[in-house]
Amino acid sequence: MISGNDFYKVMCAMVPLYFAMLVAYSSVKWWKIFSPEQCSGINRFVAVFAVPVLSFHFISQNNPYQMDTKFILADTLSKVGVLVLLSVWAIFFNGGLDWLITLFSVATLPNTLVMGIPLLKAMYGDFTQSLMVQVVVLQCIIWYTLLLFLFEYRAATLLIQTQFPGATAASISKFELDNDVISLDGRDPLRTESELDANGRTIRVRIRRSTSSATDMSPSIGITPRASNLSNAEIFSVNTPAPLIPHDVAFGHADLALGYRSGSPRLSGYVSSDAYSLQPSPRASNFNELETTTGSTPVWSRSPVAGRVFRQTSPAFSGVTMMWESPVLCAQGDRQGFKDVTVTGKEISFRDCTKIQMPEEADNNGAAPTTTQEMPHAFVMMRLILVVVGRKLSRNPNTYSSVLGLLWSLISFKWNVGMPSLVKYSIKIISDAGLGMAMFSLGLFMALQPRIIACGTKRATMGMAIRFLCGPIIMSATSVAVGLRGVKLHFAIVQAALPQGIVPFVFAREYGLHPDILSTGVIFGMLVSLPVTLLYYIFLGL
């Protein structure tokens, strides 16, 4: 039975966090203390220093040789089970990869670092901190990497469908990426250069950044490299236009670090895949999109900057249409349909902007049915995706904080080596600010959103049901199956009812896949999570 003292302990742990969020929300929404540019500066500190140091602090103090194998097995089985069920649904019932990624994110990836550790420690005691840190490590190293892999696979598929329609892609034997291509998410202007063999088949494709459209649009446009998200932390430049959501925001680490954009007309050359100043400066290109070769002689084609999509039959072989685009910005409501694009001339991207004839359009126009899309060999696709995933992870400070924290804990608890006091207290003074600053950044994010429920009532209700009902039910089933009982079983169920994790929203926003659903899950889920978890806590304690 839960006593009044137990309830008071939970309130003492959670009210300060919500107070920090409320102060930040009021500072922007009502008091007008912070501008979006100032919010970006706050987020820069949270994303680059506070949250990575906070994660290092927790992970380095956790003994990896005393991991709870039953709990880890239950958590892993719940995620694998959901992924398998969604895969079957996507393959055999036409569910689609897009919804597989979104539903997997909503159902299995909660906010473990910022909300989970203080809440569950207050409910069930100090032993829960070690268990939650184990979940954080697995999420950062395994599950977020898997999620990133799925997003990049989707992005690579869209790129190939756009640039190499029909059977053309099947003959590709190798992809080469320039050093400054960090992601295929489509937010950066990309172009492909194809090398053909004597039979007119594409054998090698080079993927490059293309900034020529940005430089051609206006001589006053500046290219401003800036730190950006990659896998867990995003800091938007205040000069970057917002293509999808007013006051675009993204978060950092397993559970926080927000970034904001203002509506400045100036266009940044680095949009979303720029690393923390670890990649070369963007370069202007003399050509926009298409290179073909006849024999050994390359033939370059340049598309004028006119704000529309061009199609041209390849001179190397007939019957195949190569497509490229000049700078466009998709209509705000047309995120994934690739149809009815509205041109405003502010951003260039192959994602969501290339007009591909859909099957229904072909039928309506009386044209011949579209050719079945073929893909390169699985090994070629795997190599391409692993390269971009590796580049993104290598430029994310939270990757280093998690790995270094795990390495130090392995050394420290193996040979009983203590961290020098000078280093220990230097880390502690920043990590102590991590939780409060993370919640403060979340409050800033909420204040800059036009609506708390961005995806509509129906989808929001479904998302909340999946997050707070399906997740705990699946976790309880796997926990019972592996033999968890008593307090650990209660803990496992409550941690599955934590609010939506923030990194899935970062990815959803970056790759343009249902960001409204994930945004609602983060904001509205944070508001309802405390009463929901308290209900679980009280019910399980009866």
Side-chain angles (χ1 to χ4, degrees):
M1 184 68 182
I2 305 302
S3 64
N5 185 53
D6 295 330
F7 182 81
Y8 181 74
K9 287 169 59 180
V10 174
M11 291 296 101
C12 288
M14 299 310 299
V15 168
L17 295 180
Y18 279 88
F19 176 76
M21 185 173 68
L22 177 62
V23 170
Y25 182 89
S26 303
S27 298
V28 174
K29 196 73 172 181
W30 301 317
W31 303 334
K32 311 296 182 184
I33 295 177
F34 298 113
S35 66
E37 292 85 354
Q38 292 168 331
C39 292
S40 179
I42 295 173
N43 173 66
R44 185 180 297 273
F45 168 75
V46 173
V48 179
F49 293 107
V51 172
V53 173
L54 177 67
S55 64
F56 176 85
H57 174 72
F58 279 124
I59 295 172
S60 64
Q61 291 186 341
N62 180 66
N63 189 344
Y65 302 103
Q66 296 180 357
M67 296 182 69
D68 192 310
T69 54
K70 286 186 176 181
F71 171 71
I72 295 301
L73 181 60
D75 181 72
T76 302
L77 288 177
S78 68
K79 291 178 171 59
V80 172
V82 170
L83 187 59
V84 170
L85 290 175
L86 291 175
S87 299
V88 172
W89 172 69
I91 295 172
F92 297 104
F93 299 95
N94 297 321
L97 179 61
D98 289 6
W99 283 107
L100 182 153
I101 296 173
T102 300
L103 294 178
F104 176 74
S105 302
V106 173
T108 63
L109 299 175
N111 187 325
T112 52
L113 181 64
V114 175
M115 284 288 293
I117 291 178
L119 176 62
L120 291 166
K121 184 177 180 181
M123 287 181 173
Y124 295 110
D126 293 340
F127 80 94
T128 61
Q129 177 172 317
S130 175
L131 296 179
M132 289 306 298
V133 170
Q134 295 169 27
V135 174
V136 170
V137 172
L138 291 179
Q139 280 193 351
C140 291
I141 296 178
I142 298 178
W143 299 113
Y144 288 147
T145 302
L146 174 62
L147 189 63
L148 180 62
F149 184 91
L150 293 175
F151 273 110
E152 286 292 347
Y153 173 79
R154 173 182 175 271
T157 301
L158 294 179
L159 174 61
I160 291 171
Q161 291 174 351
T162 302
Q163 303 296 329
F164 305 96
T168 312
S171 59
I172 297 176
S173 60
K174 184 178 182 181
F175 285 98
E176 294 181 357
L177 285 83
D178 281 9
N179 292 332
D180 56 355
V181 176
I182 307 300
S183 174
L184 303 178
D185 57 19
R187 298 181 60 86
D188 291 319
L190 298 176
R191 66 187 179 95
T192 59
E193 299 172 4
S194 306
E195 178 182 319
L196 310 181
D197 61 13
N199 297 322
R201 295 179 301 179
T202 304
I203 59 174
R204 182 177 65 87
V205 174
R206 182 179 182 184
I207 301 177
R208 306 176 64 182
R209 296 176 68 98
S210 175
T211 58
S212 60
S213 297
T215 55
D216 287 343
M217 280 192 298
S218 170
S220 62
I221 290 176
I223 295 177
T224 309
R226 71 275 185 282
S228 178
N229 79 306
L230 298 182
S231 83
N232 291 344
E234 167 132 300
I235 305 172
F236 282 122
S237 166
V238 297
N239 295 323
T240 306
L244 289 179
I245 304 174
H247 306 294
D248 276 3
V249 185
F251 302 72
H253 196 297
D255 300 308
L256 218 58
L258 318 179
Y260 304 87
R261 294 179 178 177
S262 70
S264 170
R266 186 179 176 194
L267 177 65
S268 171
Y270 276 14
V271 181
S272 120
S273 300
D274 322 334
Y276 286 85
S277 301
L278 296 180
Q279 63 188 48
S281 300
R283 65 192 185 287
S285 172
N286 293 327
F287 303 95
N288 243 4
E289 280 295 327
L290 175 66
E291 175 197 2
T292 61
T293 61
T294 54
S296 60
T297 304
V299 178
W300 291 82
S301 298
R302 181 181 179 185
S303 60
V305 182
R308 61 182 183 275
V309 177
F310 295 89
R311 300 168 183 253
Q312 173 176 308
T313 302
S314 170
F317 47 98
S318 61
V320 179
T321 299
M322 305 297 287
M323 295 182 294
W324 65 88
E325 60 178 299
S326 57
V328 295
L329 178 65
C330 299
Q332 185 169 348
D334 183 22
R335 293 187 298 271
Q336 299 172 55
F338 298 94
K339 299 185 294 183
D340 303 328
V341 177
T342 299
V343 175
T344 61
K346 286 192 66 176
E347 186 176 8
I348 45 181
S349 163
F350 70 79
R351 185 195 67 178
D352 304 336
C353 297
T354 303
K355 185 173 288 186
I356 301 175
Q357 192 175 40
M358 304 300 282
E360 60 268 23
E361 292 179 336
D363 294 340
N364 294 337
N365 297 333
T370 56
T371 306
T372 302
Q373 176 67 48
E374 296 188 22
M375 300 298 291
H377 190 274
F379 176 79
V380 177
M381 289 289 292
M382 180 70 70
R383 182 178 181 277
L384 170 65
I385 297 168
L386 289 177
V387 168
V388 292
V389 169
R391 289 184 180 183
K392 295 193 73 169
L393 293 178
S394 68
R395 288 162 171 81
N396 179 13
N398 296 290
T399 300
Y400 296 102
S401 67
S402 299
V403 172
L404 290 176
L406 181 60
L407 289 176
W408 174 255
S409 64
L410 289 171
I411 296 172
S412 176
F413 289 96
K414 178 69 174 179
W415 290 289
N416 196 26
V417 178
M419 186 176 295
S421 298
L422 186 64
V423 177
K424 178 180 178 180
Y425 290 110
S426 298
I427 293 174
K428 185 175 183 299
I429 197 170
I430 298 179
S431 66
D432 286 347
L435 285 178
M437 289 302 300
M439 293 299 290
F440 192 89
S441 295
L442 181 58
L444 297 177
F445 165 60
M446 294 173 62
L448 290 176
Q449 301 309 299
R451 292 187 302 167
I452 292 179
I453 301 178
C455 62
T457 305
K458 182 178 179 180
R459 286 189 173 184
T461 303
M462 293 177 59
M464 294 301 103
I466 293 172
R467 174 69 264 153
F468 295 114
L469 292 178
C470 296
I473 289 173
I474 295 171
M475 186 64 190
S476 63
T478 56
S479 298
V480 171
V482 301
L484 283 181
R485 298 292 186 272
V487 176
K488 287 189 177 181
L489 176 61
H490 299 170
F491 157 78
I493 296 173
V494 174
Q495 69 87 26
L498 292 170
Q500 177 64 52
I502 297 173
V503 168
F505 167 70
V506 175
F507 291 155
R509 172 62 189 84
E510 180 182 351
Y511 291 87
L513 180 61
H514 305 136
D516 51 349
I517 296 177
L518 275 298
S519 173
T520 301
V522 171
I523 299 174
F524 191 66
M526 186 66 70
L527 297 177
V528 303
S529 64
L530 183 58
V532 168
T533 51
L534 283 174
L535 287 176
Y536 275 108
Y537 179 53
I538 295 171
F539 176 76
L540 293 171
L542 294 178

